[in-house]
């Protein structure tokens, strides 16, 4: 009869646990010690996830709207990608306009509104922006589908 191997003694596991829990020292700053990697800042992570959810809702609403305009899935996909990319990259060329123009452009850019969420900051203006854009495109989708219904398509 063959017996299964015995588990390793605790004295063999102890150094491994000690090394894995040891703080990490940055090479560029040898005097500064970083906390262990398992430290999670829950509010910052929650804000990031909330921003991703809002961003996803806006992108889905845009995709549904463009999809309601055409019968072709390829055209709907390319059109959605174009519109989402336009809203995302709107304010990347900040040197192209004056300060007043860029302030207006940044008001419509999804990237600038998502940026605060990615930093862990939930701002009511950003939440209202995402909700407004989502409701706006959902309303346009409903109008487009009603128009199709009345035209008999």
């Amino acid at each position: 009869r063959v017996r299964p191997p015995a588990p390793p003694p605790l004295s063999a596991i102890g150094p491994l646990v000690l090394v894995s829990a040891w703080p990490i020292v940055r090479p560029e700053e040898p005097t500064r010690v970083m906390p262990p990697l398992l430290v999670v800042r829950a509010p910052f992570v929650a804000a990031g996830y909330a921003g991703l959810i809002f961003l996803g809702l806006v992108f889905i609403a845009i995709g549904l709207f463009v999809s309601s305009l055409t019968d072709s899935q390829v055209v709907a996909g390319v059109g959605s990608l174009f519109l989402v990319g336009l809203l995302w990259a709107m304010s990347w060329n900040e040197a192209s306009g004056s300060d007043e123009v860029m302030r207006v452009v940044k008001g419509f850019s999804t990237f600038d509104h998502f940026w605060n969420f990615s930093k862990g900051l939930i701002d009511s203006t950003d939440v209202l922006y995402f909700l407004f854009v989502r409701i706006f495109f959902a309303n346009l989708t409903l109008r487009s589908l009603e128009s199709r219904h009345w035209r008999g398509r």
Side-chain angles (χ1 to χ4, degrees), residues 17-108:
V17 172
L18 181 65
V19 169
S20 65
W22 193 261
I24 300 169
V25 177
R26 292 184 180 177
E28 67 272 2
E29 298 175 11
T31 59
R32 186 171 179 188
V33 176
M34 290 176 48
L37 296 177
L38 296 177
V39 174
V40 177
R41 292 175 176 88
F44 296 112
V45 173
Y49 279 128
L52 283 175
I53 289 171
F54 283 128
L55 192 65
L57 288 173
V58 166
F59 289 171
I60 289 170
I62 290 171
L64 285 174
F65 168 65
V66 175
S67 179
S68 73
L69 295 177
T70 181
D71 291 329
S72 172
Q73 293 178 356
V74 174
V75 172
V78 171
S80 299
L81 187 62
F82 173 75
L83 193 55
V84 164
L86 180 71
L87 284 175
W88 184 260
M90 219 174 215
S91 66
W92 281 2
N93 190 6
E94 294 181 5
S96 65
S98 65
D99 290 338
E100 296 85 21
V101 171
M102 287 313 296
R103 188 174 55 234
V104 171
V105 168
K106 282 184 177 187
F108 288 108

Side-chain angles (χ1 to χ4, degrees), residues 2-3 6 8 19 21 33 43 66 69 75 106 121 135 139 142 146 152:
V2 178
R3 292 184 178 194
V19 169
V33 176
V66 175
L69 295 177
V75 172
K106 282 184 177 187
L121 177 66
I135 290 169
N139 193 15
L142 288 175
E146 285 176 0

